[in-house]
Amino acid sequence: MIVVCVLLLGPSTPGDALVGRPLPAGAAAEVVPNRVMTWNLCNPCEKSNVDRAAEIATYAPQVIGLQEACTGDVKRIRDLLESLYGLVYHVEYGAVLQNWGRCGGVPWSPGGFGQALLSAAPMTDRVLVEYPDGGSEDRGYLAVTTTVDGRKVRVFNTHLAQRQQESVRVGQVRVLAAAVAEYDRAIVIGDFNATPETPELAPMWALAADTDPQCHPQTSGTCDTTTDWYSKFDYVFLRGIASLRHQVHPTAYSDHDLLQADVDLT
């Protein structure tokens, strides 16, 4: 019975409980309508979804993109945000592979693994694209239309190939940039597994700016780092949108920090 429970619950969700930890002083009281965030959850890292939900609730973004996300974990995070903190989110899943080792389930029906988007407003026109070459693991992007700062906007969430696979990321960015270029106004969030000056990110820099106005491909040293190994791999690219404020929030619940962008679409 113990083995069956492990198979059904999955290895990435230990210690989930029905009681949330108190939020720190200064936590958002409700969803912030012009706030977007990105967070690679780290998988497998055996972190509690209660703690993940508390991290998100502390900043209460209008939209958050998650990477390395199991569909079961995302559902539990969404449910915990509502039951523990009163934050109601819609969710769209962007699983690009089925992986029992990462996401549990049963061997003949493993859980989905990939990206996800949580939005306080409904999402429409969902598109999930798997890159022709994922590298060592299937990768892709999830795109939706939703509301940020009271305006409709196209939001993309992606996770590019692992850091040693520069040539693979070249093709992935080419696919992503072609999709982003179709919109005059777009938000592109995710884990790009590349620092700002790397050549493969050039098509994105040609289309959009980082939420940090001091972060450019020519001056990567001024970019805030977003990982435990002190590299900037996580981005909120803004196309046709102004950045009002950005902040990196260190966390003990992943090897990536949460990246926040407060934006102005008006």
Side-chain angles (χ1 to χ4, degrees):
M1 287 299 295
I2 292 173
V3 172
V4 170
C5 288
V6 170
L7 291 174
L8 292 176
L9 291 175
S12 62
T13 59
D16 284 359
L18 297 179
V19 179
R21 57 182 170 87
L23 300 184
E30 57 187 11
V31 167
V32 183
N34 69 331
R35 178 167 296 169
V36 297
M37 298 185 74
T38 183
W39 191 20
N40 182 314
L41 293 181
C42 182
N43 187 314
C45 281
E46 298 188 353
K47 300 299 183 182
S48 166
N49 288 319
V50 172
D51 292 321
R52 290 167 169 168
E55 290 290 273
I56 295 170
T58 298
Y59 311 108
Q62 176 78 2
V63 174
I64 184 167
L66 305 175
Q67 304 88 42
E68 295 195 20
C70 296
T71 55
D73 286 344
V74 174
K75 181 181 185 301
R76 284 186 279 274
I77 291 168
R78 190 268 310 270
D79 291 346
L80 288 164
L81 285 166
E82 182 173 3
S83 62
L84 298 178
Y85 303 107
L87 300 174
V88 178
Y89 284 96
H90 304 266
V91 63
E92 289 289 353
Y93 302 99
V96 292
L97 59 90
Q98 305 298 307
N99 192 300
W100 175 80
R102 287 184 183 265
C103 296
V106 291
W108 56 90
S109 182
F113 175 81
Q115 294 76 239
L117 282 164
L118 276 66
S119 173
M123 292 176 277
T124 61
D125 304 317
R126 172 189 177 274
V127 172
L128 175 62
V129 173
E130 186 172 335
Y131 295 124
D133 183 359
S136 57
E137 182 177 77
D138 293 351
R139 297 289 165 92
Y141 73 78
L142 173 67
V144 302
T145 298
T146 190
T147 301
V148 176
D149 195 26
R151 303 292 183 93
K152 294 291 185 181
V153 64
R154 195 67 171 166
V155 178
F156 295 79
N157 181 20
T158 192
H159 187 194
L160 300 189
Q162 294 179 355
R163 70 184 85 170
Q164 297 86 0
Q165 299 171 2
E166 295 88 349
S167 61
V168 176
R169 290 196 298 274
V170 169
Q172 293 174 346
V173 174
R174 187 179 300 120
V175 171
L176 176 63
V180 175
E182 297 179 7
Y183 298 89
D184 294 332
R185 189 166 60 189
I187 300 171
V188 186
I189 57 184
D191 175 6
F192 284 70
N193 268 319
T195 51
E197 77 284 357
T198 52
E200 63 265 31
L201 293 190
M204 283 305 308
W205 288 111
L207 288 172
D210 189 78
T211 183
D212 178 0
Q214 301 303 315
C215 187
H216 307 282
Q218 296 82 11
T219 58
S220 60
T222 65
C223 302
D224 293 332
T225 62
T226 63
T227 68
D228 284 357
W229 51 96
Y230 304 108
S231 294
K232 178 177 172 64
F233 278 6
D234 305 273
Y235 295 81
V236 177
F237 281 111
L238 302 175
R239 176 170 169 83
I241 297 169
S243 176
L244 298 178
R245 176 175 180 261
H246 79 282
Q247 190 168 356
V248 176
H249 300 288
T251 176
Y253 304 107
S254 176
D255 55 355
H256 287 248
D257 300 324
L258 295 92
L259 176 60
Q260 168 191 328
D262 293 350
V263 300
D264 182 1
L265 275 77
T266 60

